[in-house]
Amino acid sequence: GQSLEQPSEVTAVEGAIVQMNCTYQTSGFYGLSWYQQHDGGAPTFLSYNALDGLEETGRFSSFLSRSDSYGYLLLQELQMKDSASYFCAVRDQDYGQNFVFGPGTRLSVLP
Amino acid sequence: SAVISQKPSRDICQRGTSLTIQCQVDSQVTMMFWYRQQPGQSLTLIATANQGSEATYESGFVIDKFPISRPNLTFSTLTVSNMSPEDSSIYLCSVEGGPSYGYTFGSGTRLTVV
C-alpha cells in the first residue's frame, strides 16, 4: 500500500519563506506532485518531480529525494493569497500509476 | 491545460435519492478521474473512467453506488445513488495533462444529503 505524511498546519508571516514537507511510503514510486487548494476551490497543480533535486517555478520550488522518500514544497516571499491547503501526491505504479494524495498542510499567512 | 466544466456546483438532496454529476472537458482525453473530498480532508480516488470500457473502481467504492458513464472522450458522469448523509462531500472530476502537467480538476460539486 501507500502512505503519505504531511504536517497538518503551518503558519508564517508575509514576506517569509516556508517549507512544507512530505514523506511517503510506496513500493512503485514514479513521482511526486504538489497541489494548492484554496477554501471552496478546486486543487490546482503546482509541480511534479520525478527525479531527485530542486525544481523552481517563480516563488515556488519543489524538492525530491527518492532515496529518503521525502519531498518538500518551498514558498518564498509569502503573500496573503498563499493561505491555502497544500497536498503532496505520489504517482504509484501499484496504484495504476494514479496519484495518491497526502492529508494536506494548511498554510496560514499572517500580516 | 484542459478546461473542465462541472455541474451542478452544489446541491442539497434528500436521503434515498440519486444525483448525477456531469463533467465536460474542452479537449479529448483518454482517462477521467472521479474523486471525493470530505470537508477538511484529502482527496480520495473513487474510480477511473475510460471511454468505451467499464470504469475501474478503487477499494471501498462500488459500481452500484457510484455508477459512471463515459460516452465519449470529452464527457463523463458520476451518479451518487441511494444517498445517505454519509455521502455529503465534495465530488471532483479530473483529467491528466501529461506526466509533468499534473491533473486538472473541475470546480467540484458540493453535495449535502439531508
Side-chain angles (χ1 to χ4, degrees):
Chain A
Q2 316 87 7
S3 69
L4 293 89
E5 292 186 6
Q6 297 181 254
S8 58
E9 295 181 357
V10 171
T11 301
V13 297
E14 266 189 304
I17 299 173
V18 69
Q19 177 176 313
M20 289 175 281
N21 299 323
C22 173
T23 58
Y24 59 86
Q25 289 187 344
T26 178
S27 54
F29 178 83
Y30 268 137
L32 183 71
S33 281
W34 289 91
Y35 290 82
Q36 177 191 61
Q37 186 178 33
H38 288 99
D39 287 346
T44 303
F45 172 73
L46 293 175
S47 67
Y48 177 75
N49 294 66
L51 303 176
D52 287 355
L54 190 68
E55 298 275 348
E56 298 181 51
T57 306
R59 295 189 297 116
F60 293 73
S61 302
S62 57
F63 172 82
L64 175 65
S65 169
R66 295 174 66 118
S67 60
D68 294 325
S69 298
Y70 163 75
Y72 66 73
L73 181 69
L74 190 76
L75 279 66
Q76 303 183 66
E77 301 173 14
L78 279 175
Q79 302 175 9
M80 298 293 290
K81 67 178 182 179
D82 297 328
S83 293
S85 293
Y86 292 84
F87 296 93
C88 62
V90 168
R91 186 164 203 159
D92 190 338
Q93 177 182 357
D94 294 340
Y95 197 57
Q97 298 187 35
N98 294 322
F99 283 95
V100 178
F101 283 78
T105 296
R106 184 163 184 87
L107 171 65
S108 297
V109 180
L110 304 178
Chain B
S1 59
V3 175
I4 304 174
S5 174
Q6 182 174 345
K7 58 182 181 182
S9 58
R10 59 179 63 234
D11 207 340
I12 300 173
C13 301
Q14 296 290 323
R15 67 174 67 203
T17 63
S18 298
L19 176 71
T20 295
I21 302 166
Q22 300 180 4
C23 275
Q24 178 75 51
V25 189
D26 68 345
S27 58
Q28 293 185 340
V29 293
T30 304
M31 292 190 292
M32 293 182 71
F33 307 92
W34 288 96
Y35 283 86
R36 182 172 73 182
Q37 185 176 30
Q38 297 181 316
Q41 302 297 312
S42 186
L43 291 85
T44 301
L45 182 64
I46 298 171
T48 302
N50 290 324
Q51 191 267 335
S53 63
E54 291 275 337
T56 302
Y57 289 83
E58 299 303 315
S59 176
F61 299 97
V62 295
I63 188 171
D64 290 346
K65 177 66 175 178
F66 298 101
I68 288 172
S69 77
R70 185 78 202 276
N72 57 53
L73 291 174
T74 64
F75 187 78
S76 180
T77 68
L78 169 77
T79 298
V80 187
S81 303
N82 188 24
M83 289 184 286
S84 66
E86 292 71 33
D87 294 320
S88 297
S89 192
I90 299 170
Y91 294 85
L92 298 130
C93 62
S94 69
V95 301
E96 185 174 5
S100 296
Y101 298 104
Y103 285 3
T104 298
F105 286 85
S107 53
T109 297
R110 185 178 295 270
L111 170 63
T112 302
V113 183
V114 297

